[in-house]
Amino acid sequence: MTIEYSTPYRRTSKIPAEPGTPYFIEKGLGDRAHLFGDLVTVYAGGEQTENAFNFFTVEGPKGDLIPAHRHDDTHEVFYVTDGAVRVFVEDAEGRQQERLLTSGDFGFVPKSCTHAYRIERHHSRIVGVAAGPGGTFERFFENLGTPTDQVGLPPRPYVPAPEKFGIVPQRFDVTFLPDHRWRTR
Amino acid sequence: MTIEYSTPYRRTSKIPAEPGTPYFIEKGLGDRAHLFGDLVTVYAGGEQTENAFNFFTVEGPKGDLIPAHRHDDTHEVFYVTDGAVRVFVEDAEGRQQERLLTSGDFGFVPKSCTHAYRIERHHSRIVGVAAGPGGTFERFFENLGTPTDQVGLPPRPYVPAPEKFGIVPQRFDVTFLPDHRWRTR
């Protein structure tokens, strides 16, 4: 049995438009978006949880360091289920650390802490939960990137138009810090 | 580098007592508890997220159906990373469904929906997020069950003393429904 819904985000989605509805989604079939070389799949958003939390995955190939950024009002979980992901984070006192996470390892980035990550093995997958008192930001990826009905990684990287960087991040509590330097090594 | 903290829940924990501190936890080394045959590992709790959400895993052997229950104020995610778990859920209109979740599959149980699950393969693991407007309930498992420093599944099932069932569940927004019947098959 597969039910599909029409929602504000997708013409057809496995996520019910109506909160309070129990649902199941098969692996890979959440609301999908491409952003650069990565595939982001949303399985639950703020609508499902009274804005308490969300649940999504980020899958990607071995790649470059994601630009440093912070969320002023959003705490973020990095839980790796496949591959290897190096997470960089700086605390409120400016202390920096980095850690290579592999399957089953967990990282927590509190709000306001500048962070970044780099996927270091092909076929990696991160489970993310990103939420805080201000709500959830799971639709950032499809707004900076692009929604897709495809299954799997982007066949070609989706590079956002430059003007999107001036508009989208601030709508989703994302502040990029292009001058940030990691001194961890 | 391994830092350990003393918290209200553990003499030594990988979870910082002080909110706002970034941290990493290796696979299996969160705050652990045994409840019946299962191992519950908490990686983040309400203290870390301003009570927005938590993050934990439930690992267990192939076993029996967990008793039907509901959370009046808590939405719950079931995300299976290993093995196979059958989730049963009833919506507000009394419609029941069940689904076998395997690695990468996702289930969402909104607050107030009666639900249950059964681990159907050995070495299964569920990632759980359980939170709502009333907060988070990750310490339920160690209060009904028992905290442990061991790594791995309980060597013997931990069966709670009967009187605990009259006290602990209501403190953590858990209502057991012993007379509930699943009509899905």
Side-chain angles (χ1 to χ4, degrees):
Chain A
M1 179 184 61
T2 294
I3 306 175
E4 297 216 321
Y5 305 90
S6 179
T7 75
Y9 306 107
R10 292 291 188 287
R11 203 164 29 82
T12 61
S13 174
K14 307 287 187 190
I15 302 177
E18 196 63 45
T21 309
Y23 65 96
F24 299 103
I25 302 182
E26 268 184 44
K27 180 179 184 175
L29 297 185
D31 285 359
R32 303 179 290 288
H34 291 165
L35 177 56
F36 296 103
D38 293 347
L39 168 69
V40 178
T41 308
V42 173
Y43 291 93
E47 292 83 359
Q48 278 67 52
T49 65
E50 298 171 84
N51 293 314
F53 63 90
N54 55 16
F55 195 96
F56 58 93
T57 60
V58 177
E59 290 161 278
K62 180 173 171 169
D64 298 328
L65 187 67
I66 299 289
H69 60 283
R70 69 162 196 268
H71 315 296
D72 286 330
D73 218 16
T74 306
H75 308 287
E76 191 167 5
V77 157
F78 291 80
Y79 180 79
V80 173
T81 63
D82 294 90
V85 180
R86 190 175 298 272
V87 177
F88 299 72
V89 62
E90 179 176 304
D91 71 13
E93 282 74 43
R95 284 183 297 251
Q96 297 187 349
Q97 50 181 319
E98 61 166 89
R99 190 74 65 92
L100 185 68
L101 305 181
T102 64
S103 176
D105 293 343
F106 175 91
F108 188 79
V109 176
K111 68 179 185 183
S112 306
C113 292
T114 298
H115 59 285
Y117 65 90
R118 180 172 61 223
I119 294 179
E120 297 203 347
R121 292 292 183 281
H122 289 301
H123 304 293
S124 289
R125 188 196 302 143
I126 308 163
V127 165
V129 182
T136 65
F137 80 2
E138 63 279 356
R139 302 296 167 178
F140 166 71
F141 307 100
E142 65 196 52
N143 277 276
L144 187 59
T146 185
T148 180
D149 290 330
Q150 293 178 41
V151 171
L153 296 185
R156 280 169 300 283
Y158 177 87
V159 180
E163 58 269 26
K164 274 188 167 183
F165 286 94
I167 302 166
V168 175
Q170 66 213 50
R171 280 179 50 210
F172 293 95
D173 189 21
V174 178
T175 304
F176 284 111
L177 301 157
D179 297 329
H180 190 84
R181 290 293 167 265
W182 296 106
R183 307 176 305 268
T184 46
R185 53 171 61 183
Chain B
M1 180 184 60
T2 294
I3 305 176
E4 297 216 320
Y5 305 90
S6 179
T7 75
Y9 305 108
R10 292 290 188 288
R11 204 162 29 82
T12 62
S13 173
K14 307 288 189 190
I15 303 177
E18 196 63 42
T21 309
Y23 64 97
F24 299 103
I25 303 182
E26 269 183 43
K27 180 179 183 175
L29 296 185
D31 286 359
R32 302 179 291 287
H34 290 164
L35 177 55
F36 296 103
D38 293 346
L39 167 70
V40 179
T41 307
V42 174
Y43 291 93
E47 292 84 359
Q48 278 67 51
T49 64
E50 298 171 82
N51 293 314
F53 63 90
N54 55 16
F55 195 95
F56 59 92
T57 60
V58 178
E59 290 160 277
K62 180 172 170 170
D64 298 329
L65 187 67
I66 298 289
H69 61 283
R70 70 162 195 269
H71 315 296
D72 287 330
D73 218 17
T74 306
H75 308 287
E76 190 167 6
V77 158
F78 290 80
Y79 180 78
V80 174
T81 64
D82 295 90
V85 179
R86 189 175 297 273
V87 177
F88 298 74
V89 62
E90 180 176 304
D91 71 14
E93 282 73 44
R95 285 184 296 251
Q96 297 188 349
Q97 49 181 318
E98 62 165 89
R99 190 74 66 92
L100 185 68
L101 304 181
T102 65
S103 176
D105 293 344
F106 176 91
F108 188 80
V109 176
K111 68 181 186 184
S112 306
C113 291
T114 298
H115 59 284
Y117 65 91
R118 180 171 61 222
I119 294 178
E120 297 203 346
R121 293 291 183 279
H122 290 300
H123 303 292
S124 289
R125 187 196 304 142
I126 308 163
V127 165
V129 182
T136 64
F137 80 1
E138 63 280 356
R139 303 295 167 177
F140 166 71
F141 308 100
E142 65 196 52
N143 277 277
L144 187 59
T146 184
T148 180
D149 290 329
Q150 293 178 41
V151 171
L153 295 185
R156 279 170 300 283
Y158 177 87
V159 180
E163 57 269 26
K164 275 188 166 182
F165 285 94
I167 302 166
V168 175
Q170 67 213 49
R171 280 180 49 209
F172 293 94
D173 189 21
V174 178
T175 303
F176 284 110
L177 301 157
D179 297 330
H180 189 83
R181 290 291 168 266
W182 296 106
R183 306 176 306 268
T184 45
R185 52 172 59 182

